Amino acid sequence: MNDDFITPLLAWFSQEAADLPWRNTRDPYRIWLSEIMLQQTQVSTVIPYYERFLETYPTVHDLAAASQDELLKQWEGLGYYSRARNLHTAAKQIVSEYNGQLPTNADELQHLKGIGRYTAGAIASIAFGEAVPVLDGNVIRVFTRLFDIADDVRQQTTQKRLWQIAEELIKAVPEGRAGDYNQALMELGRTICKPQNPLCERCPIAEHCLALKNNVQNERPIKTKKPPTPHYDVTCGLIWNEDGQLLITKRRDDALLGGLWEFPGGKIEEGETLEACLARELREELGIKVEVGTLYMRVKHAYTHFKITLHAFNCHLMANSPPPSCHDCQAFQWVSVSELSDYAFSRADRYIIEDLQNRQYRLL
DNA sequence: AATGCGGGGTA
DNA sequence: TACCCAGCATT
């Protein structure tokens, strides 16, 4: 494997590295946090979350002492909420078992919740200077172009081969520069070696790029297509009580959007009306009987694996309904419209909340 | 080895 | 619309 690109890549990074918040620190806690937030999430999306998060939790001790609800409220909108739950678990573990210090090498880091091979390599190389590789979407794209690799990168054998390449190359990186080199590869992928229309004329290692030489840079990496995602109709209840409060429920940790709050409801079944679906879901989930009233609004939303149309109905408890009890949720709560802002909700529910609060505001 | 897991940006 | 993003845990 030709490693001649390493020197010009490092030189480019020294000159052109963007000034990102997590590059102004050597604090392993901050490096760790940035790497978790950056999983499957673009740099520009992460920055405001990262800065706000560190104001709230400046140290791993502050994070370990947080409540899950408070933490998820901080994470609200960032997605992949298991990252926040795992971060919390790991923080508590670091405080109780590691004396408040992160492990200092990649192998030990991988024992912590939410840290896999990529994240362990990133933290170990950036925070501790260990000569270990990283392989993320950016690096995969750079490598498949640099070495003109035409294999399907979704295949396990290709992933293995790419990790082997990464392992070989890191050995040729100058002592103490592994963190810079790994960041340089990712930054090149993010800013120059982009998925579509890469900026090869500005690439510092273009003369080493086999895909460019073969004029196939736009056809790398090769990925098999994913099947189209299904669409579901989902209902939820805006269940009002006499005090103008709404009933919300907290989702189970092992579910989609685990730990977030929601307006209770669920997915429609074959041949079922929306109203019947909602009445059934509320009976199953909370053991309550409701009168399903008018449609409040519909929200369309796309998840990774499916799309939904969320139908929100005004409801109230029937006089002979049992009080709510959690059958398939962690908790429930009656809250006013303005108090909804204190709880972490998914994007789809936040559209509804925004509308509820706007209408309330206009009435005042 | 395959699948589930969010939400926003981009062309 | 479809693809992409500083991937990981679970089964």
Side-chain angles (χ1 to χ4, degrees):
Chain A
M1 200 55 61
N2 190 329
D3 56 27
D4 292 344
F5 71 94
I6 293 175
T7 300
L9 178 66
L10 281 170
W12 169 79
F13 188 68
S14 297
Q15 287 293 316
E16 308 285 338
D19 182 21
L20 302 176
W22 43 88
R23 289 198 177 142
N24 300 323
T25 181
R26 293 288 301 228
D27 181 357
Y29 166 66
R30 294 182 175 232
I31 309 284
W32 171 41
L33 175 66
S34 73
E35 290 300 339
I36 300 298
M37 286 187 165
L38 286 162
Q39 288 168 6
Q40 297 292 289
T41 310
Q42 298 191 349
V43 167
S44 56
T45 303
V46 166
I47 290 174
Y49 281 89
Y50 175 83
E51 295 188 324
R52 197 165 57 238
F53 197 97
L54 282 174
E55 284 174 22
T56 311
Y57 310 118
T59 71
V60 68
H61 300 277
D62 302 308
L63 176 56
S67 73
Q68 189 196 61
D69 275 340
E70 184 191 352
L71 177 59
L72 287 172
K73 184 62 189 175
Q74 284 281 324
W75 206 271
E76 182 184 49
L78 199 53
Y80 283 135
Y81 298 93
S82 66
R83 292 184 295 176
R85 300 195 305 271
N86 289 337
L87 191 72
H88 200 199
T89 302
K92 289 188 267 195
Q93 198 178 349
I94 289 165
V95 167
S96 65
E97 297 173 29
Y98 292 85
N99 194 28
Q101 305 286 328
L102 260 79
T104 58
N105 64 74
D107 283 340
E108 287 184 50
L109 283 163
Q110 273 201 74
H111 289 115
L112 293 171
K113 274 280 191 192
I115 299 185
R117 186 170 182 188
Y118 162 79
T119 306
I123 298 170
S125 63
I126 297 168
F128 303 114
E130 188 181 359
V132 285
V134 296
L135 190 72
D136 72 333
N138 289 308
V139 178
I140 289 169
R141 195 167 53 251
V142 170
F143 282 177
T144 54
R145 285 175 176 162
L146 200 51
F147 307 119
D148 193 6
I149 295 168
D151 302 323
D152 176 7
V153 297
R154 291 203 204 278
Q155 300 245 324
Q156 194 110 20
T157 52
T158 311
Q159 291 285 320
K160 233 172 153 178
R161 182 179 166 201
L162 289 165
W163 270 110
Q164 281 171 1
I165 291 171
E167 279 176 28
E168 281 307 308
L169 289 169
I170 199 81
K171 295 176 187 168
V173 171
E175 177 76 22
R177 302 297 304 278
D180 287 342
Y181 162 79
N182 284 335
Q183 293 185 81
L185 274 178
M186 295 190 279
E187 181 134 324
L188 187 76
R190 180 171 69 90
T191 61
I192 305 278
C193 199
K194 300 192 296 181
Q196 281 137 6
N197 305 317
L199 308 175
C200 301
E201 65 283 358
R202 286 171 43 189
C203 178
I205 59 174
E207 63 178 287
H208 304 279
C209 183
L210 283 182
L212 177 61
K213 187 178 168 191
N214 298 334
N215 196 29
V216 293
Q217 67 274 21
N218 272 311
E219 297 152 47
R220 301 287 180 271
I222 289 176
K223 291 187 185 187
T224 52
K225 289 188 177 159
K226 287 183 177 172
T229 56
H231 173 272
Y232 302 118
D233 283 297
V234 179
T235 60
C236 70
L238 305 178
I239 307 170
W240 301 92
N241 69 12
E242 303 76 13
D243 300 325
Q245 292 174 309
L246 283 159
L247 182 61
I248 61 173
T249 53
K250 183 172 163 70
R251 295 175 63 84
R252 294 156 50 121
D253 277 350
D254 59 1
L256 170 76
L257 305 167
L260 268 63
W261 291 80
E262 68 175 359
F263 299 115
K267 196 191 308 176
I268 198 165
E269 290 181 352
E270 186 84 24
E272 196 176 38
T273 67
L274 293 169
E275 288 84 353
C277 164
L278 184 54
R280 174 182 55 75
E281 290 283 352
L282 295 176
R283 186 179 66 245
E284 291 172 0
E285 189 178 334
L286 290 160
I288 55 175
K289 297 203 281 192
V290 299
E291 187 83 34
V292 177
T294 56
L295 178 71
Y296 180 78
M297 70 183 292
R298 294 184 218 271
V299 177
K300 285 181 180 293
H301 187 65
Y303 292 96
T304 308
H305 300 288
F306 55 91
K307 304 190 232 330
I308 64 165
T309 303
L310 179 60
H311 308 260
F313 285 89
N314 288 305
C315 303
H316 58 84
L317 286 182
M318 290 174 27
N320 64 349
S321 171
S325 61
C326 273
H327 297 180
D328 198 32
C329 53
Q330 288 194 53
F332 68 88
Q333 189 79 40
W334 291 98
V335 298
S336 68
V337 168
S338 56
E339 286 168 337
L340 289 167
S341 302
D342 299 336
Y343 297 80
F345 285 87
S346 75
R347 190 72 189 93
D349 280 7
R350 281 188 358 254
Y351 278 118
I352 299 171
I353 291 170
E354 190 181 355
D355 197 85
L356 285 165
Q357 294 181 334
N358 281 340
R359 292 199 198 190
Q360 184 184 57
Y361 181 72
R362 283 200 300 273
L363 291 176
L364 295 179

